[in-house]
Amino acid sequence: MLVHIPNVLTAEEVALCRQRLEAAEWVDGRVTAGDQSAKVKHNLQVPENSPTARELGDIVLRALARSPIFASAALPLHVYPPMFNRYDVGMTFNTHVDNAIRNVSGRRMRTDVSSTLFLSAPEEYDGGELVIEDTYGAQAVKLPAGDMIVYPATSLHRVNAVTRGSRWASFFWTQSMIEDDRQRRLLFEMDMSIIQMRTVVPDDHASVLGLTSCYHNLMRMWCKM
């Protein structure tokens, strides 16, 4: 399930992130890659534990907390501290799958959901599309600055080579309360239907109450906490 979430960051937040990243230290992106990914990864990253990464990561986490679509699509239990990368001309990240387990402060978390939050406007660079192998084939994603794509961490994906300009983004993983992507998809579609239904019938209408009851009972059945 691919979910495009617009305006996760405001224009002011994007501008602040860009300002901080302009002055940040950048290192080889392979420092956080697994054995397989390191062979195909060619980009730059801000060191995970740097003051810049922590400051901007907090901005992203606050933005996620106010996004009902992210909450509905990811059903987050734990969110990995957001990281920041850039692809200059010639840089790419060939086809790979994300590591299944990440360590956060000595605690292991499962990566169920991957997210990429774009910090560069599409007109700032050529190439650099995030290409995700979805159920319906390869989907190329290139979003406005401040928008985010959420997709299963089990997906094969790549970043096409940048041929002009520079592509900047934040990326992170979420351990979901719902491990199975098919179940998350069903719950997300059900939640969106409930929200839409509430625009045309009262909240206490039998159809809204019945569908809401089904949603929460499926959550009880499938949640792993």
Side-chain angles (χ1 to χ4, degrees):
M1 176 179 69
L2 277 66
V3 180
H4 170 197
I5 308 178
N7 303 314
V8 173
L9 293 182
T10 65
E12 292 76 18
E13 288 170 330
V14 170
L16 176 59
C17 289
R18 292 291 299 265
Q19 180 185 45
R20 295 290 192 270
L21 292 174
E22 289 279 1
E25 173 193 5
W26 294 89
V27 298
D28 191 322
R30 287 176 291 185
V31 297
T32 57
D35 290 342
Q36 182 266 337
S37 295
K39 298 174 183 176
V40 296
K41 187 176 186 180
H42 181 206
N43 67 2
L44 298 172
Q45 288 179 196
V46 174
E48 283 188 80
N49 295 319
S50 69
T52 299
R54 290 196 295 269
E55 176 192 3
L56 300 187
D58 286 343
I59 291 173
V60 173
L61 291 174
R62 288 195 295 270
L64 297 179
R66 64 176 185 250
S67 172
I69 299 179
F70 174 75
S72 180
L75 295 169
L77 180 60
H78 303 296
V79 177
Y80 192 88
M83 296 190 287
F84 300 85
N85 62 16
R86 65 185 280 181
Y87 291 80
D88 295 334
V89 172
M91 293 185 177
T92 184
F93 197 166
N94 290 329
T95 303
H96 64 286
V97 67
D98 292 333
N99 290 349
I101 303 295
R102 290 274 172 175
N103 287 302
V104 184
S105 302
R107 176 182 55 80
R108 287 182 288 185
M109 63 169 277
R110 189 183 61 246
T111 57
D112 297 318
V113 179
S114 296
S115 299
T116 296
L117 174 58
F118 288 76
L119 298 174
S120 299
E123 60 270 19
E124 292 184 69
Y125 61 98
D126 293 331
E129 299 87 357
L130 172 63
V131 181
I132 303 163
E133 298 290 340
D134 187 37
T135 308
Y136 305 105
Q139 308 291 320
V141 180
K142 189 173 184 178
L143 301 180
D147 285 18
M148 184 169 73
I149 190 75
V150 173
Y151 59 98
T154 53
S155 305
L156 288 171
H157 57 283
R158 69 179 186 272
V159 176
N160 288 340
V162 170
T163 59
R164 178 189 65 85
S166 186
R167 172 199 188 270
W168 295 14
S170 176
F171 64 103
F172 56 92
W173 301 274
T174 301
Q175 179 173 333
S176 178
M177 293 182 288
I178 306 296
E179 182 177 354
D180 188 283
D181 178 58
R182 296 166 300 175
Q183 295 170 347
R184 283 198 308 275
R185 180 195 296 265
L186 177 61
L187 288 168
F188 177 70
E189 292 172 352
M190 187 178 294
D191 195 25
M192 293 300 101
S193 294
I194 293 169
I195 292 170
Q196 184 177 17
M197 188 179 296
R198 283 174 168 165
T199 65
V200 294
V201 298
D203 283 355
D204 60 355
H205 192 278
S207 59
V208 175
L209 294 174
L211 196 55
T212 302
S213 175
C214 287
Y215 176 89
H216 286 287
N217 286 331
L218 287 172
M219 284 282 287
R220 289 187 184 93
M221 186 185 305
W222 292 338
C223 269
K224 294 183 179 180
M225 306 280 287

